[in-house]
Amino acid sequence: MTGEQTEKSAEQPNQHHKPFLSLLTQKETDPLPSSPPVWMMRQAGRYLPEYREVRKQAGGFLNLCYNPELAAEVTIQPIRRYGFDAAILFSDILVVPDALGQSVRFETGEGPRLDPLANAADLARLDPSNTDKIFSHVYETVDRIKSELPDETTLIGFCGAPFTVATYMVAGRGTPDQAPARMMAYRDRDSFQKLIDMLVDTSIDYLRGQIDAGAEVVQVFDSWASVLSDDEFDQWCLEPMVRICNGLRQYHPQVPIIGFPRAVGPLYRRYVEKTGVNAVGCDTSLPLEWMRDELQPLTVVQGNLDPILLLNGGPQLEQRVKRIIETLSGGRHIFNLGHGIIKETPPEHVAQLVEYIRAAAG
Ligand code: CP3
């Protein structure tokens, strides 16, 4: 008994100082914190003047992602301002195609551009054997963040889920419904399967590298999962995520994995059951009572404030924060948005949000 405890504390130093990591690793029956740990998707970004300043200095967006000093700086900016319980590595999900040799460009005001991947010949040009040239910049960033981050702040690493990354690789850009990837999945199933398989293996390597460099939790963003039918969801989102979780757990069984299959409605339950994720990111449309009754008994729920309400601010924001916390306070809950923060959001609203969260819980 004593031996077991000693071993555990030796393995996880400082864990009791880290409310976010503790919640993710504690047993369901352990006492809950007085207020939910909080962080926000896209918490480092254009709504912050100090981010815009560094972004200018870096030149292009990917230059910022690959500059460990500047990427570490923008990761820590929102922690300094708001004291969030977690920092998320500053990078992008499209670093993975870039590392595979499908170069990515970010044109001002237009979002990402890649040369579209249309067929087996395009696929054959990707090179999964040489990704570390790019990934090593990210690992160096993680290492730097780790040495600068306050002890109580948990560092989250991340990648995009294979399907979501594939939608950008196939279309060469964001589209309203990601039809090009869905078409390829029907028309040339073998090629699409090969692409997904390559992304599964690369994602495992990449997350493993981030953890080796110091990431304490990882999140997998499947922002486009909701465009698929249930059968296609099983094949392109669920099954690959099961493989990522199993693959990663072979190397790092203790590191919590957060899944974010955005806006998949009732499929959330199957996703949690099959993958065994340690927490699940819930989008804004998921009813709070459903999260409480269907998901919270299975895992930690994370979410799900409407980013538009944060942009708006005011009394409605305070009321909704209270209702989210009250509904989910009987189980394990991480406060977050239902999707990324919107760039027009006044930074004062975020400060107010953090105050409301801490006050609502008393
Ligand atoms: O603070 C954080 O959350 C960490 C950094 C982060 C970024 N992108 C920085 C970023 C994370 C976790 C992401 C994830 C990401 N990137 C997703 C999944 C989450 C989601 O929002 O659904 C997706 C789909 C992408 C792809 C991507 N990156 C797009 C479509 C765009 C352009 C749209 C936009 O918001 O401009 C980006 C660019 C991007 N990634 C920015 C930031 C801060 C803005 C670029 C800039 O500074 O000019």
Side-chain angles (χ1 to χ4, degrees), residues 75-350:
T75 301
I76 295 165
Q77 284 174 345
I79 309 304
R80 272 189 216 121
R81 229 187 222 261
Y82 304 115
F84 290 127
D85 295 294
I88 182 160
L89 160 70
F90 188 85
S91 181
D92 197 82
I93 64 165
L94 300 178
V95 159
V96 166
D98 203 46
L100 289 169
Q102 187 184 13
S103 58
V104 177
R105 309 169 294 280
F106 278 87
E107 281 148 29
T108 329
E110 288 202 35
R113 293 287 181 274
L114 305 81
D115 295 329
L117 215 158
N119 51 39
D122 293 342
L123 204 67
R125 277 194 288 275
L126 300 176
D127 178 10
S129 68
N130 208 16
T131 48
D132 262 6
K133 223 170 53 194
I134 294 278
F135 290 165
S136 59
H137 303 300
V138 178
Y139 303 152
E140 197 185 324
T141 304
V142 171
D143 185 55
R144 259 175 192 267
I145 300 168
K146 227 15 213 314
S147 67
E148 293 173 31
L149 210 57
D151 280 348
E152 65 274 18
T153 316
T154 304
L155 178 58
I156 306 173
F158 75 92
C159 70
F163 177 70
T164 286
V165 174
T167 61
Y168 290 94
M169 294 177 78
V170 173
R173 58 198 299 161
T175 67
D177 54 5
Q178 304 296 27
R182 293 158 64 198
M183 276 296 279
M184 183 174 178
Y186 288 123
R187 196 171 41 207
D188 186 356
R189 223 163 172 79
D190 284 353
S191 294
F192 198 67
Q193 184 72 60
K194 279 201 187 98
L195 174 59
I196 295 290
D197 291 347
M198 185 187 291
L199 289 169
V200 166
D201 293 341
T202 306
S203 302
I204 295 169
D205 273 3
Y206 184 42
L207 291 177
R208 192 181 161 195
Q210 292 180 32
I211 295 167
D212 289 339
E216 298 164 291
V217 171
V218 293
Q219 174 155 326
V220 179
F221 289 87
D222 214 347
S223 307
W224 285 100
S226 63
V227 297
L228 297 173
S229 71
D230 53 354
D231 292 341
E232 296 290 290
F233 172 80
D234 283 353
Q235 179 149 2
W236 307 124
C237 297
L238 208 154
E239 197 267 344
M241 185 60 177
V242 168
R243 279 195 281 156
I244 289 176
C245 291
N246 291 343
L248 210 53
R249 285 186 177 130
Q250 277 188 358
Y251 302 110
H252 294 293
Q254 312 295 338
V255 174
I257 303 171
I258 307 174
F260 180 49
R262 187 169 74 88
V264 300
L267 295 174
Y268 261 102
R269 210 190 134 93
R270 181 145 94 218
Y271 180 88
V272 168
E273 283 171 342
K274 293 263 159 58
T275 60
V277 285
N278 305 81
V280 68
C282 299
D283 68 276
T284 300
S285 70
L286 217 52
L288 293 173
E289 288 75 15
W290 195 86
M291 286 162 63
R292 178 193 63 200
D293 298 340
E294 302 292 325
L295 299 180
Q296 235 175 2
L298 305 174
T299 193
V300 178
V301 295
Q302 175 175 282
N304 70 343
L305 183 77
D306 185 356
I308 300 278
L309 183 50
L310 181 60
L311 173 66
N312 183 68
Q316 292 164 79
L317 173 64
E318 186 174 12
Q319 281 161 20
R320 181 68 188 178
V321 168
K322 274 197 186 142
R323 201 169 105 66
I324 293 175
I325 291 177
E326 276 166 19
T327 311
L328 301 172
S329 64
R332 291 167 299 161
H333 173 220
I334 294 162
F335 202 101
N336 204 314
L337 301 175
H339 199 190
I341 189 166
I342 294 164
K343 69 174 192 298
E344 290 78 12
T345 305
E348 312 82 72
H349 289 190
V350 179

